[in-house]
Structure formats: structure tokens, C-alpha cells
Amino acid sequence: MLLFNPISIHVPLTLKPTPTSTSTPHPHKNLTILSQLPPTPTPTPTPTLSISDTSLQSKGFNLHRSITNLNLHHLNSIFVSVGFPQRDISKIQIALENTDSLIWIEHHKTKGSPVAFARATGDGVFNAIIWDVVVDPNFQGIGLGKAVMERLVTDLLNKGITNIALYSEPRVLGFYRPLGFVMDPDGIRGMVYSRKKKKK
């Protein structure tokens, strides 16, 4: 798991019991939570874009931040072409409808069909996880992966979300490091739930 720096700030809490009208105390139901906020941190710097929107448009590329007009069948074919498993289109639709932020790029020759894509899910306030970062093999090597990632991270930072994580195959770690992602900062170890198959 890779995390984007800086990590979210821990906010200490003070718990204070409140009076109850019943004779049986229920401390878990009768607490007032008073947060003691630390000084306001300095704003996280917004990453600079390696290629501007204007430059992308001059090369025939258009940016999108919604699923409107997104060809899901073509997106699925890109997933497969880069080694992701084939997915059910109806489930992709549901996943995208429950996605907080997404970026996709189309070329004027591929109207509605993405050539680069990335999305993030999360709680909308503190945390986000980036998923499905893909570039059509026919359009790789020209900076489109970096373009979608820079904009997705910027969109999340603009929402105040600084705890941004993603999963990555070892062979592409070098792609994410220059974008501000580090492996296991401060000893953090990511874990993933996995059901073991029963032996017959």
C-alpha cells in the first residue's frame, strides 16, 4: 500500500460524562465528546501539473470528471488489456456511481471511449483510496497516466483530504513515487482481508 504525504493529523478527544435521568448508568450512551483541535496546519501545497489542460486539448485530448458519456465497455476492455480481470458492466456502473472523484481522458478519435482513467473512493472528508489507474496501451508513454493522477490528487486535496492511499504492483512503484506517494510511511502497514479457500 502506498500513502500520499502528509498523513492526517490525530485529533485528541476529551470524554466527559453527562448526567442521566435513569438509575442505571449507560456510559456509552451518556458521553459528551469535546474535541481539542490542534493549531490549524498550513495548507497542503497543490501539486503542479506536468501538462496543462490547454496543452492536452491542443493534442486532441479532453478531460472529464463524471461518468456522463463514458463508454463502460471500452473502459472494461482497457482494464483487461493492462491485466485487470474482466468485470461485469453493471457492477462497474454501480462502482462508478459510488465513486467520490474520477478523471478520464478521451481523444477526439475515441469519442466517449477513455484512453486514461483513475478514480477514488472514501469518506469525503479525511480518507481516500485511489483505484483503477489505467492507460490504453495505444496511448501509453505520453504522460496521460500522470495527467489523471495529478488531477485526481489535486481534486482530493482541494476537498481537504490528505490521507490518500493506493495499491500498486511492484513494477509500477516508480510511477507513483514522483507523484508524492511513499511505501509504508512511519511504519504503517497496510492489510487486506482475504478469505482462504477451504481445502477439499
Side-chain angles (χ1 to χ4, degrees):
M1 173 182 271
L2 297 175
L3 295 174
F4 183 83
N5 280 335
I7 303 303
S8 296
I9 296 171
H10 173 70
V11 179
L13 297 176
T14 302
L15 300 178
K16 177 177 158 187
T18 57
T20 177
S21 60
T22 60
S23 57
T24 307
H26 297 286
H28 64 284
K29 291 185 179 177
N30 299 300
L31 295 176
T32 301
I33 300 174
L34 305 172
S35 63
Q36 297 173 337
L37 298 175
T40 304
T42 55
T44 303
T46 302
T48 55
L49 299 177
S50 58
I51 182 169
S52 69
D53 292 4
T54 305
S55 182
L56 281 171
Q57 289 171 351
S58 71
K59 295 176 182 178
F61 295 104
N62 295 314
L63 285 162
H64 301 274
R65 285 181 163 84
S66 77
I67 61 173
T68 305
N69 299 324
L70 174 60
N71 184 324
L72 300 185
H73 292 280
H74 187 76
L75 178 61
N76 205 14
S77 70
I78 295 174
F79 287 155
V80 172
S81 70
V82 299
F84 289 11
Q86 178 83 23
R87 299 175 180 177
D88 181 290
I89 295 297
S90 63
K91 290 183 178 179
I92 293 175
Q93 177 77 33
I94 294 168
L96 297 185
E97 288 170 356
N98 289 284
T99 290
D100 297 313
S101 297
L102 64 83
I103 303 281
W104 62 281
I105 296 175
E106 69 177 345
H107 191 261
H108 68 87
K109 294 179 181 176
T110 66
K111 206 68 172 161
S113 297
V115 295
F117 177 90
R119 70 185 184 103
T121 59
D123 56 26
V125 180
F126 304 112
N127 309 291
I129 300 179
I130 294 176
W131 308 97
D132 300 332
V133 181
V134 292
V135 177
D136 185 320
N138 297 317
F139 290 86
Q140 289 179 1
I142 57 175
L144 297 183
K146 184 183 273 190
V148 293
M149 279 297 298
E150 288 170 344
R151 286 161 175 81
L152 188 59
V153 167
T154 299
D155 288 354
L156 294 171
L157 293 175
N158 287 340
K159 293 178 181 179
I161 300 169
T162 57
N163 190 25
I164 305 168
L166 61 83
Y167 294 92
S168 172
E169 293 182 17
R171 63 185 174 83
V172 292
L173 290 177
F175 168 73
Y176 293 109
R177 284 191 184 107
L179 296 168
F181 288 85
V182 294
M183 287 187 63
D184 302 324
D186 303 322
I188 293 171
R189 292 286 180 260
M191 299 181 74
V192 179
Y193 175 75
S194 178
R195 288 189 301 185
K196 292 185 178 179
K197 293 181 180 178
K198 294 180 181 179
K199 295 180 180 178
K200 293 182 180 179

